Amino acid sequence: MTLPMVEPREGLPDRVRIYEVGPRDGLQNESAIVPVDAKAAFVRRLLAAGLPVVEATSFVHPRWVPQLADAEELMTSLGEVGRDCPVLVPNERGLDRALELGVRHVAIFGSATETFAQRNLNRSLDEQFAMFEPTVRRARDAGLDVRAYVSMCFGDPWEGPVPVAQVVDVGKRLFDLGASQLSLGDTIGVGTAGHVRSLLAAFTAAGMTTDQLAMHFHDTYGQALANALTALEGGVTTFDASAGGLGGCPYAKSATGNLATEDLVWLLTGLGIEHGVDLAALVDTSVWMAGVLGRPSPSAVVRALRDGPGGPSSGTTLGTGAAESPA
Ligand code: HMG
Ligand code: MG
């Protein structure tokens, strides 16, 4: 397996935690419904490839996201391994379902905009807090870890640009409900590097630290990797990514795939930043999942490693300076 030449850069973190969202964000937007056995194999293979966190599924209303209607079956099939995989819960009903299966990590997901709150949660911007508050309180009382997402941080397909102050206000309110981390979602992938920098500056000015923040980039406009590098420069050390670049949100038109985990791993490896992921095993997993879905992976790194010199199909390696073993 070919890897990039390693050239560290001053001022970047030594280690990054990749929060894998492929089985949840990746599969929730597929037109095909993936069989539960394949989903379980996907989660297991991602864990085996060294991903430290794999978000498995959502306990949302099955009519709203039929692709993930098998959440109970999946978590039962994963057994003990699944208990450490976070799941989305929008409300107390979702939390009850997760608690019944012994899940230890849940994530709520709020919206920075009024329109997306209504479209994604059937609640107004204010009403979403009333839904999340008892959900987080009960999750914490039960000893669970809670992550909070805030969507539409960089732009909204209905409302256009979203003021930074509004994102910070909603994000802080969600985090202050009792979350351990706030993931800032560029749901429709419109953000650019300067915007990432100003949003991070606004959150830190509001008292949040970079280790409380994660970045969740979708790659609709091809900016995800540039935005991730900008956030790395800002000191962020948790990045959401999706194996093979799968992903999207069924309730946000123009939301496409997430930042591909392979593309992020390639960048981090080249910068000498530890991530713990075996890129070859990850690429194999994404190539396999692309076969299950019946369409090629959107990740540039998956395509290059599968087809290019040094890729699994050619049996050769790139010469000069390329490291030959996984990081
Ligand atoms: P609602 O229709 O307003 O629900 O949906 P309700 O509270 O009025 O309840 C109606 C019925 O649904 C009741 O049943 C409830 O029990 C049942 P009845 O009494 O009529 O028989 N119900 C449920 N059943 C199973 N599981 C549940 C549940 N909740 C209620 N959890 C709701 C409100 C929030 C449930 C709905 O809007 C929903 O499920 N939305 C989820 C949408 C979604 O999953 N979107 C994708 C994830 S977000 C995302 O992708 C963005 C992210 O990646 C970050 C980024 O990119 O920005 C995270
Ligand atoms: Mg997303």
Side-chain angles (χ1 to χ4, degrees):
M1 168 67 64
T2 304
L3 291 173
M5 181 165 156
V6 178
E7 283 289 350
R9 224 169 81 179
E10 289 280 304
L12 297 181
D14 296 333
R15 187 170 182 88
V16 152
R17 182 164 162 271
I18 302 178
Y19 184 106
E20 171 63 45
V21 295
R24 194 278 304 170
D25 208 338
L27 299 186
Q28 75 181 8
N29 205 38
E30 287 296 323
S31 50
I33 296 195
V34 175
V36 72
D37 288 350
K39 287 180 179 168
F42 191 30
V43 172
R44 288 183 191 281
R45 287 181 71 151
L46 291 167
L47 289 167
L51 269 320
V53 188
V54 179
E55 193 172 76
T57 186
S58 295
F59 287 92
V60 295
H61 197 297
R63 259 202 320 272
W64 281 65
V65 185
Q67 291 89 338
L68 304 183
D70 56 6
E72 269 86 359
E73 259 181 282
L74 174 63
M75 296 312 280
T76 304
S77 157
L78 288 171
E80 186 51 33
V81 163
R83 300 210 169 92
D84 284 322
C85 294
V87 298
L88 293 198
V89 297
N91 54 14
E92 290 187 87
R93 174 83 183 93
L95 176 66
D96 287 337
R97 293 170 59 201
L99 285 173
E100 225 159 87
L101 289 151
V103 165
R104 292 191 270 260
H105 301 264
V106 294
I108 57 164
F109 48 102
S111 170
T113 65
E114 181 64 44
T115 314
F116 189 61
Q118 285 172 6
R119 295 208 174 221
N120 199 44
L121 299 166
N122 203 22
R123 299 288 182 279
S124 71
L125 189 69
D126 277 333
E127 284 165 356
Q128 68 180 340
F129 297 104
M131 182 167 77
F132 293 136
E133 192 277 326
T135 310
V136 175
R137 181 168 29 81
R138 285 189 43 221
R140 294 297 306 274
D141 288 349
L144 272 56
D145 171 62
V146 179
R147 168 184 243 226
Y149 283 98
V150 55
S151 287
M152 301 300 174
C153 293
F154 294 85
D156 173 292
W158 301 278
E159 298 184 19
V162 184
V164 165
Q166 181 177 326
V167 177
V168 173
D169 178 51
V170 173
K172 269 216 84 201
R173 277 179 76 185
L174 289 167
F175 180 77
D176 289 343
L177 291 174
S180 59
Q181 187 165 64
L182 180 69
S183 176
L184 307 180
D186 186 4
T187 320
I188 56 167
V190 291
T192 50
H195 197 166
V196 171
R197 188 166 288 190
S198 57
L199 191 64
L200 281 175
F203 269 104
T204 43
M208 288 195 66
T209 56
T210 46
D211 62 317
Q212 293 170 329
L213 296 171
M215 303 307 297
H216 180 105
F217 294 119
H218 285 259
D219 203 23
T220 322
Y221 291 85
Q223 302 300 302
L225 211 48
N227 290 341
L229 180 57
T230 304
L232 266 177
E233 288 164 349
V236 173
T237 55
T238 301
F239 289 86
D240 301 359
S242 171
L246 301 171
C249 176
Y251 292 98
K253 70 178 175 202
S254 71
T256 63
N258 288 74
L259 167 61
T261 314
E262 290 84 352
D263 298 10
L264 178 62
V265 164
W266 186 273
L267 173 73
L268 296 174
T269 303
L271 287 167
I273 296 174
E274 278 182 53
H275 49 72
V277 178
D278 176 342
L279 184 59
L282 178 59
V283 168
D284 277 352
T285 301
S286 292
V287 169
W288 164 78
M289 183 43 80
V292 172
L293 295 170
R295 64 178 179 86
S297 162
S299 158
V301 170
V302 171
R303 284 199 308 273
L305 291 178
R306 189 201 49 201
D307 301 330
S313 50
S314 75
T316 59
T317 51
L318 280 182
T320 37
E324 298 298 338
S325 61

PDB file of all heavy atoms in Angstrom, residues 1 41-42 45-46 49 243-244 262 277-292 297 301-303 305-306 310-313:
ATOM      1  N   MET A   1       0.843  -1.203   0.000  1.00  0.00           N
ATOM      2  CA  MET A   1       0.000   0.000   0.000  1.00  0.00           C
ATOM      3  C   MET A   1       0.873   1.245   0.000  1.00  0.00           C
ATOM      4  O   MET A   1       1.763   1.396   0.825  1.00  0.00           O
ATOM      5  CB  MET A   1      -0.900  -0.046   1.239  1.00  0.00           C
ATOM      6  CG  MET A   1      -1.635   1.233   1.577  1.00  0.00           C
ATOM      7  SD  MET A   1      -2.894   1.762   0.404  1.00  0.00           S
ATOM      8  CE  MET A   1      -4.087   0.435   0.498  1.00  0.00           C
ATOM      9  N   ALA A  41     -21.094  -5.872   9.499  1.00  0.00           N
ATOM     10  CA  ALA A  41     -19.744  -6.157   8.998  1.00  0.00           C
ATOM     11  C   ALA A  41     -18.991  -4.846   8.744  1.00  0.00           C
ATOM     12  O   ALA A  41     -17.788  -4.739   9.013  1.00  0.00           O
ATOM     13  CB  ALA A  41     -19.832  -6.981   7.715  1.00  0.00           C
ATOM     14  N   PHE A  42     -19.707  -3.842   8.248  1.00  0.00           N
ATOM     15  CA  PHE A  42     -19.103  -2.525   7.976  1.00  0.00           C
ATOM     16  C   PHE A  42     -18.547  -1.942   9.284  1.00  0.00           C
ATOM     17  O   PHE A  42     -17.384  -1.526   9.351  1.00  0.00           O
ATOM     18  CB  PHE A  42     -20.187  -1.621   7.385  1.00  0.00           C
ATOM     19  CG  PHE A  42     -19.718  -0.315   6.789  1.00  0.00           C
ATOM     20  CD1 PHE A  42     -18.451  -0.177   6.221  1.00  0.00           C
ATOM     21  CD2 PHE A  42     -20.576   0.788   6.752  1.00  0.00           C
ATOM     22  CE1 PHE A  42     -18.050   1.032   5.646  1.00  0.00           C
ATOM     23  CE2 PHE A  42     -20.185   1.996   6.183  1.00  0.00           C
ATOM     24  CZ  PHE A  42     -18.925   2.124   5.638  1.00  0.00           C
ATOM     25  N   ARG A  45     -15.535  -3.971  10.504  1.00  0.00           N
ATOM     26  CA  ARG A  45     -14.338  -3.766   9.682  1.00  0.00           C
ATOM     27  C   ARG A  45     -13.712  -2.395   9.944  1.00  0.00           C
ATOM     28  O   ARG A  45     -12.489  -2.241   9.942  1.00  0.00           O
ATOM     29  CB  ARG A  45     -14.694  -3.904   8.196  1.00  0.00           C
ATOM     30  CG  ARG A  45     -14.959  -5.350   7.796  1.00  0.00           C
ATOM     31  CD  ARG A  45     -15.287  -5.457   6.314  1.00  0.00           C
ATOM     32  NE  ARG A  45     -14.119  -5.203   5.487  1.00  0.00           N
ATOM     33  CZ  ARG A  45     -13.907  -5.726   4.286  1.00  0.00           C
ATOM     34  NH1 ARG A  45     -14.788  -6.572   3.775  1.00  0.00           N
ATOM     35  NH2 ARG A  45     -12.832  -5.435   3.596  1.00  0.00           N
ATOM     36  N   LEU A  46     -14.548  -1.385  10.174  1.00  0.00           N
ATOM     37  CA  LEU A  46     -14.028  -0.044  10.465  1.00  0.00           C
ATOM     38  C   LEU A  46     -13.286  -0.038  11.799  1.00  0.00           C
ATOM     39  O   LEU A  46     -12.206   0.552  11.926  1.00  0.00           O
ATOM     40  CB  LEU A  46     -15.171   0.976  10.465  1.00  0.00           C
ATOM     41  CG  LEU A  46     -15.787   1.232   9.082  1.00  0.00           C
ATOM     42  CD1 LEU A  46     -17.113   1.996   9.208  1.00  0.00           C
ATOM     43  CD2 LEU A  46     -14.819   2.009   8.186  1.00  0.00           C
ATOM     44  N   ALA A  49     -10.045  -1.694  11.381  1.00  0.00           N
ATOM     45  CA  ALA A  49      -9.080  -0.855  10.648  1.00  0.00           C
ATOM     46  C   ALA A  49      -8.460   0.214  11.547  1.00  0.00           C
ATOM     47  O   ALA A  49      -7.623   0.993  11.100  1.00  0.00           O
ATOM     48  CB  ALA A  49      -9.758  -0.196   9.447  1.00  0.00           C
ATOM     49  N   ALA A 243     -16.125   6.738   5.775  1.00  0.00           N
ATOM     50  CA  ALA A 243     -15.346   5.831   4.922  1.00  0.00           C
ATOM     51  C   ALA A 243     -15.835   5.922   3.482  1.00  0.00           C
ATOM     52  O   ALA A 243     -17.034   5.845   3.212  1.00  0.00           O
ATOM     53  CB  ALA A 243     -15.493   4.400   5.430  1.00  0.00           C
ATOM     54  N   GLY A 244     -14.908   6.110   2.572  1.00  0.00           N
ATOM     55  CA  GLY A 244     -15.248   6.158   1.157  1.00  0.00           C
ATOM     56  C   GLY A 244     -15.923   7.452   0.742  1.00  0.00           C
ATOM     57  O   GLY A 244     -16.245   7.635  -0.430  1.00  0.00           O
ATOM     58  N   GLU A 262     -10.566   8.241   4.160  1.00  0.00           N
ATOM     59  CA  GLU A 262      -9.288   7.936   3.500  1.00  0.00           C
ATOM     60  C   GLU A 262      -8.547   9.210   3.111  1.00  0.00           C
ATOM     61  O   GLU A 262      -7.318   9.278   3.219  1.00  0.00           O
ATOM     62  CB  GLU A 262      -9.516   7.096   2.228  1.00  0.00           C
ATOM     63  CG  GLU A 262      -9.966   5.675   2.480  1.00  0.00           C
ATOM     64  CD  GLU A 262     -11.470   5.527   2.687  1.00  0.00           C
ATOM     65  OE1 GLU A 262     -12.172   6.570   2.793  1.00  0.00           O
ATOM     66  OE2 GLU A 262     -11.945   4.387   2.740  1.00  0.00           O
ATOM     67  N   VAL A 277      -5.042   4.686  12.134  1.00  0.00           N
ATOM     68  CA  VAL A 277      -5.859   3.957  11.156  1.00  0.00           C
ATOM     69  C   VAL A 277      -4.976   3.243  10.131  1.00  0.00           C
ATOM     70  O   VAL A 277      -3.996   3.808   9.637  1.00  0.00           O
ATOM     71  CB  VAL A 277      -6.821   4.930  10.430  1.00  0.00           C
ATOM     72  CG1 VAL A 277      -7.644   4.211   9.376  1.00  0.00           C
ATOM     73  CG2 VAL A 277      -7.733   5.623  11.440  1.00  0.00           C
ATOM     74  N   ASP A 278      -5.334   2.007   9.844  1.00  0.00           N
ATOM     75  CA  ASP A 278      -4.654   1.217   8.815  1.00  0.00           C
ATOM     76  C   ASP A 278      -5.331   1.540   7.478  1.00  0.00           C
ATOM     77  O   ASP A 278      -6.445   1.072   7.205  1.00  0.00           O
ATOM     78  CB  ASP A 278      -4.790  -0.265   9.177  1.00  0.00           C
ATOM     79  CG  ASP A 278      -4.199  -1.190   8.128  1.00  0.00           C
ATOM     80  OD1 ASP A 278      -3.988  -0.753   6.983  1.00  0.00           O
ATOM     81  OD2 ASP A 278      -3.975  -2.364   8.459  1.00  0.00           O
ATOM     82  N   LEU A 279      -4.658   2.355   6.664  1.00  0.00           N
ATOM     83  CA  LEU A 279      -5.289   2.859   5.437  1.00  0.00           C
ATOM     84  C   LEU A 279      -5.653   1.722   4.480  1.00  0.00           C
ATOM     85  O   LEU A 279      -6.704   1.748   3.835  1.00  0.00           O
ATOM     86  CB  LEU A 279      -4.376   3.886   4.755  1.00  0.00           C
ATOM     87  CG  LEU A 279      -4.941   4.566   3.514  1.00  0.00           C
ATOM     88  CD1 LEU A 279      -6.237   5.318   3.801  1.00  0.00           C
ATOM     89  CD2 LEU A 279      -3.914   5.548   2.923  1.00  0.00           C
ATOM     90  N   ALA A 280      -4.798   0.707   4.395  1.00  0.00           N
ATOM     91  CA  ALA A 280      -5.084  -0.400   3.458  1.00  0.00           C
ATOM     92  C   ALA A 280      -6.375  -1.111   3.857  1.00  0.00           C
ATOM     93  O   ALA A 280      -7.236  -1.392   3.011  1.00  0.00           O
ATOM     94  CB  ALA A 280      -3.911  -1.379   3.449  1.00  0.00           C
ATOM     95  N   ALA A 281      -6.528  -1.376   5.151  1.00  0.00           N
ATOM     96  CA  ALA A 281      -7.735  -2.063   5.619  1.00  0.00           C
ATOM     97  C   ALA A 281      -8.969  -1.181   5.410  1.00  0.00           C
ATOM     98  O   ALA A 281     -10.054  -1.664   5.073  1.00  0.00           O
ATOM     99  CB  ALA A 281      -7.592  -2.425   7.097  1.00  0.00           C
ATOM    100  N   LEU A 282      -8.776   0.117   5.579  1.00  0.00           N
ATOM    101  CA  LEU A 282      -9.902   1.047   5.395  1.00  0.00           C
ATOM    102  C   LEU A 282     -10.318   1.095   3.921  1.00  0.00           C
ATOM    103  O   LEU A 282     -11.517   1.042   3.605  1.00  0.00           O
ATOM    104  CB  LEU A 282      -9.481   2.429   5.901  1.00  0.00           C
ATOM    105  CG  LEU A 282     -10.502   3.548   5.759  1.00  0.00           C
ATOM    106  CD1 LEU A 282     -11.793   3.233   6.508  1.00  0.00           C
ATOM    107  CD2 LEU A 282      -9.908   4.868   6.263  1.00  0.00           C
ATOM    108  N   VAL A 283      -9.347   1.197   3.029  1.00  0.00           N
ATOM    109  CA  VAL A 283      -9.662   1.239   1.597  1.00  0.00           C
ATOM    110  C   VAL A 283     -10.358  -0.061   1.178  1.00  0.00           C
ATOM    111  O   VAL A 283     -11.367  -0.042   0.462  1.00  0.00           O
ATOM    112  CB  VAL A 283      -8.388   1.487   0.757  1.00  0.00           C
ATOM    113  CG1 VAL A 283      -8.640   1.248  -0.726  1.00  0.00           C
ATOM    114  CG2 VAL A 283      -7.877   2.903   0.987  1.00  0.00           C
ATOM    115  N   ASP A 284      -9.854  -1.194   1.647  1.00  0.00           N
ATOM    116  CA  ASP A 284     -10.508  -2.478   1.338  1.00  0.00           C
ATOM    117  C   ASP A 284     -11.967  -2.451   1.763  1.00  0.00           C
ATOM    118  O   ASP A 284     -12.850  -2.930   1.053  1.00  0.00           O
ATOM    119  CB  ASP A 284      -9.825  -3.618   2.123  1.00  0.00           C
ATOM    120  CG  ASP A 284      -8.584  -4.106   1.410  1.00  0.00           C
ATOM    121  OD1 ASP A 284      -8.349  -3.666   0.263  1.00  0.00           O
ATOM    122  OD2 ASP A 284      -7.845  -4.916   2.010  1.00  0.00           O
ATOM    123  N   THR A 285     -12.205  -1.876   2.941  1.00  0.00           N
ATOM    124  CA  THR A 285     -13.578  -1.820   3.475  1.00  0.00           C
ATOM    125  C   THR A 285     -14.461  -0.939   2.598  1.00  0.00           C
ATOM    126  O   THR A 285     -15.602  -1.292   2.297  1.00  0.00           O
ATOM    127  CB  THR A 285     -13.541  -1.276   4.925  1.00  0.00           C
ATOM    128  OG1 THR A 285     -12.716  -2.139   5.700  1.00  0.00           O
ATOM    129  CG2 THR A 285     -14.922  -1.200   5.535  1.00  0.00           C
ATOM    130  N   SER A 286     -13.926   0.202   2.171  1.00  0.00           N
ATOM    131  CA  SER A 286     -14.731   1.104   1.343  1.00  0.00           C
ATOM    132  C   SER A 286     -14.973   0.524  -0.045  1.00  0.00           C
ATOM    133  O   SER A 286     -16.049   0.710  -0.624  1.00  0.00           O
ATOM    134  CB  SER A 286     -14.049   2.474   1.229  1.00  0.00           C
ATOM    135  OG  SER A 286     -14.072   3.102   2.486  1.00  0.00           O
ATOM    136  N   VAL A 287     -13.984  -0.180  -0.584  1.00  0.00           N
ATOM    137  CA  VAL A 287     -14.169  -0.819  -1.897  1.00  0.00           C
ATOM    138  C   VAL A 287     -15.251  -1.897  -1.766  1.00  0.00           C
ATOM    139  O   VAL A 287     -16.150  -2.019  -2.606  1.00  0.00           O
ATOM    140  CB  VAL A 287     -12.836  -1.409  -2.411  1.00  0.00           C
ATOM    141  CG1 VAL A 287     -13.052  -2.295  -3.638  1.00  0.00           C
ATOM    142  CG2 VAL A 287     -11.853  -0.283  -2.726  1.00  0.00           C
ATOM    143  N   TRP A 288     -15.190  -2.646  -0.672  1.00  0.00           N
ATOM    144  CA  TRP A 288     -16.209  -3.670  -0.425  1.00  0.00           C
ATOM    145  C   TRP A 288     -17.599  -3.029  -0.286  1.00  0.00           C
ATOM    146  O   TRP A 288     -18.569  -3.479  -0.891  1.00  0.00           O
ATOM    147  CB  TRP A 288     -15.840  -4.460   0.837  1.00  0.00           C
ATOM    148  CG  TRP A 288     -16.964  -5.259   1.407  1.00  0.00           C
ATOM    149  CD1 TRP A 288     -17.445  -6.461   0.958  1.00  0.00           C
ATOM    150  CD2 TRP A 288     -17.785  -4.903   2.533  1.00  0.00           C
ATOM    151  NE1 TRP A 288     -18.503  -6.869   1.734  1.00  0.00           N
ATOM    152  CE2 TRP A 288     -18.728  -5.928   2.704  1.00  0.00           C
ATOM    153  CE3 TRP A 288     -17.804  -3.810   3.406  1.00  0.00           C
ATOM    154  CZ2 TRP A 288     -19.698  -5.900   3.721  1.00  0.00           C
ATOM    155  CZ3 TRP A 288     -18.753  -3.768   4.408  1.00  0.00           C
ATOM    156  CH2 TRP A 288     -19.684  -4.807   4.558  1.00  0.00           C
ATOM    157  N   MET A 289     -17.710  -1.925   0.495  1.00  0.00           N
ATOM    158  CA  MET A 289     -19.014  -1.267   0.685  1.00  0.00           C
ATOM    159  C   MET A 289     -19.521  -0.670  -0.627  1.00  0.00           C
ATOM    160  O   MET A 289     -20.716  -0.695  -0.909  1.00  0.00           O
ATOM    161  CB  MET A 289     -18.912  -0.191   1.790  1.00  0.00           C
ATOM    162  CG  MET A 289     -20.222   0.505   2.125  1.00  0.00           C
ATOM    163  SD  MET A 289     -21.709  -0.534   2.253  1.00  0.00           S
ATOM    164  CE  MET A 289     -21.563  -1.246   3.882  1.00  0.00           C
ATOM    165  N   ALA A 290     -18.617  -0.151  -1.453  1.00  0.00           N
ATOM    166  CA  ALA A 290     -19.032   0.364  -2.762  1.00  0.00           C
ATOM    167  C   ALA A 290     -19.659  -0.766  -3.580  1.00  0.00           C
ATOM    168  O   ALA A 290     -20.650  -0.562  -4.299  1.00  0.00           O
ATOM    169  CB  ALA A 290     -17.837   0.964  -3.503  1.00  0.00           C
ATOM    170  N   GLY A 291     -19.120  -1.974  -3.433  1.00  0.00           N
ATOM    171  CA  GLY A 291     -19.708  -3.139  -4.121  1.00  0.00           C
ATOM    172  C   GLY A 291     -21.095  -3.447  -3.579  1.00  0.00           C
ATOM    173  O   GLY A 291     -22.029  -3.721  -4.349  1.00  0.00           O
ATOM    174  N   VAL A 292     -21.262  -3.349  -2.271  1.00  0.00           N
ATOM    175  CA  VAL A 292     -22.580  -3.593  -1.662  1.00  0.00           C
ATOM    176  C   VAL A 292     -23.582  -2.566  -2.192  1.00  0.00           C
ATOM    177  O   VAL A 292     -24.727  -2.888  -2.518  1.00  0.00           O
ATOM    178  CB  VAL A 292     -22.503  -3.509  -0.113  1.00  0.00           C
ATOM    179  CG1 VAL A 292     -23.886  -3.574   0.524  1.00  0.00           C
ATOM    180  CG2 VAL A 292     -21.598  -4.594   0.458  1.00  0.00           C
ATOM    181  N   SER A 297     -16.850   4.411  -4.991  1.00  0.00           N
ATOM    182  CA  SER A 297     -16.647   5.328  -3.876  1.00  0.00           C
ATOM    183  C   SER A 297     -16.302   6.719  -4.399  1.00  0.00           C
ATOM    184  O   SER A 297     -15.500   6.863  -5.321  1.00  0.00           O
ATOM    185  CB  SER A 297     -15.475   4.809  -3.035  1.00  0.00           C
ATOM    186  OG  SER A 297     -14.990   5.838  -2.231  1.00  0.00           O
ATOM    187  N   VAL A 301      -8.908   9.274  -2.711  1.00  0.00           N
ATOM    188  CA  VAL A 301      -7.839   8.384  -2.232  1.00  0.00           C
ATOM    189  C   VAL A 301      -8.231   6.918  -2.448  1.00  0.00           C
ATOM    190  O   VAL A 301      -7.398   6.098  -2.860  1.00  0.00           O
ATOM    191  CB  VAL A 301      -7.501   8.687  -0.750  1.00  0.00           C
ATOM    192  CG1 VAL A 301      -6.586   7.632  -0.159  1.00  0.00           C
ATOM    193  CG2 VAL A 301      -6.852  10.072  -0.647  1.00  0.00           C
ATOM    194  N   VAL A 302      -9.484   6.591  -2.219  1.00  0.00           N
ATOM    195  CA  VAL A 302      -9.918   5.208  -2.478  1.00  0.00           C
ATOM    196  C   VAL A 302      -9.705   4.883  -3.949  1.00  0.00           C
ATOM    197  O   VAL A 302      -9.144   3.837  -4.302  1.00  0.00           O
ATOM    198  CB  VAL A 302     -11.401   4.992  -2.081  1.00  0.00           C
ATOM    199  CG1 VAL A 302     -11.899   3.636  -2.565  1.00  0.00           C
ATOM    200  CG2 VAL A 302     -11.575   5.111  -0.572  1.00  0.00           C
ATOM    201  N   ARG A 303     -10.121   5.788  -4.820  1.00  0.00           N
ATOM    202  CA  ARG A 303      -9.977   5.529  -6.260  1.00  0.00           C
ATOM    203  C   ARG A 303      -8.512   5.394  -6.643  1.00  0.00           C
ATOM    204  O   ARG A 303      -8.117   4.481  -7.365  1.00  0.00           O
ATOM    205  CB  ARG A 303     -10.631   6.651  -7.070  1.00  0.00           C
ATOM    206  CG  ARG A 303     -12.144   6.571  -7.103  1.00  0.00           C
ATOM    207  CD  ARG A 303     -12.707   7.386  -8.275  1.00  0.00           C
ATOM    208  NE  ARG A 303     -12.201   8.765  -8.297  1.00  0.00           N
ATOM    209  CZ  ARG A 303     -12.765   9.774  -7.637  1.00  0.00           C
ATOM    210  NH1 ARG A 303     -13.842   9.578  -6.901  1.00  0.00           N
ATOM    211  NH2 ARG A 303     -12.256  10.987  -7.694  1.00  0.00           N
ATOM    212  N   LEU A 305      -5.896   4.599  -4.807  1.00  0.00           N
ATOM    213  CA  LEU A 305      -5.220   3.422  -4.254  1.00  0.00           C
ATOM    214  C   LEU A 305      -5.755   2.132  -4.848  1.00  0.00           C
ATOM    215  O   LEU A 305      -5.050   1.134  -4.915  1.00  0.00           O
ATOM    216  CB  LEU A 305      -5.336   3.410  -2.726  1.00  0.00           C
ATOM    217  CG  LEU A 305      -4.533   4.516  -2.032  1.00  0.00           C
ATOM    218  CD1 LEU A 305      -4.738   4.473  -0.533  1.00  0.00           C
ATOM    219  CD2 LEU A 305      -3.048   4.401  -2.357  1.00  0.00           C
ATOM    220  N   ARG A 306      -6.990   2.180  -5.263  1.00  0.00           N
ATOM    221  CA  ARG A 306      -7.550   0.965  -5.858  1.00  0.00           C
ATOM    222  C   ARG A 306      -7.020   0.777  -7.278  1.00  0.00           C
ATOM    223  O   ARG A 306      -6.669  -0.307  -7.693  1.00  0.00           O
ATOM    224  CB  ARG A 306      -9.082   1.084  -5.878  1.00  0.00           C
ATOM    225  CG  ARG A 306      -9.811  -0.186  -6.257  1.00  0.00           C
ATOM    226  CD  ARG A 306     -11.205   0.142  -6.739  1.00  0.00           C
ATOM    227  NE  ARG A 306     -11.155   1.205  -7.735  1.00  0.00           N
ATOM    228  CZ  ARG A 306     -12.171   1.994  -8.057  1.00  0.00           C
ATOM    229  NH1 ARG A 306     -13.317   1.875  -7.447  1.00  0.00           N
ATOM    230  NH2 ARG A 306     -12.053   2.918  -8.984  1.00  0.00           N
ATOM    231  N   GLY A 310       0.751   1.110  -7.313  1.00  0.00           N
ATOM    232  CA  GLY A 310       0.863   0.809  -5.889  1.00  0.00           C
ATOM    233  C   GLY A 310      -0.465   0.420  -5.286  1.00  0.00           C
ATOM    234  O   GLY A 310      -0.533   0.016  -4.133  1.00  0.00           O
ATOM    235  N   GLY A 311      -1.570   0.561  -6.068  1.00  0.00           N
ATOM    236  CA  GLY A 311      -2.879   0.177  -5.551  1.00  0.00           C
ATOM    237  C   GLY A 311      -3.003  -1.322  -5.478  1.00  0.00           C
ATOM    238  O   GLY A 311      -2.214  -2.048  -6.088  1.00  0.00           O
ATOM    239  N   PRO A 312      -4.001  -1.804  -4.727  1.00  0.00           N
ATOM    240  CA  PRO A 312      -4.154  -3.233  -4.516  1.00  0.00           C
ATOM    241  C   PRO A 312      -4.204  -4.013  -5.830  1.00  0.00           C
ATOM    242  O   PRO A 312      -3.676  -5.105  -5.942  1.00  0.00           O
ATOM    243  CB  PRO A 312      -5.493  -3.349  -3.784  1.00  0.00           C
ATOM    244  CG  PRO A 312      -5.741  -2.016  -3.186  1.00  0.00           C
ATOM    245  CD  PRO A 312      -5.013  -1.025  -4.042  1.00  0.00           C
ATOM    246  N   SER A 313      -4.799  -3.391  -6.906  1.00  0.00           N
ATOM    247  CA  SER A 313      -4.936  -4.154  -8.135  1.00  0.00           C
ATOM    248  C   SER A 313      -3.624  -4.274  -8.914  1.00  0.00           C
ATOM    249  O   SER A 313      -3.438  -5.183  -9.694  1.00  0.00           O
ATOM    250  CB  SER A 313      -6.024  -3.535  -9.011  1.00  0.00           C
ATOM    251  OG  SER A 313      -5.789  -2.169  -9.137  1.00  0.00           O
TER     252      SER A 313
END
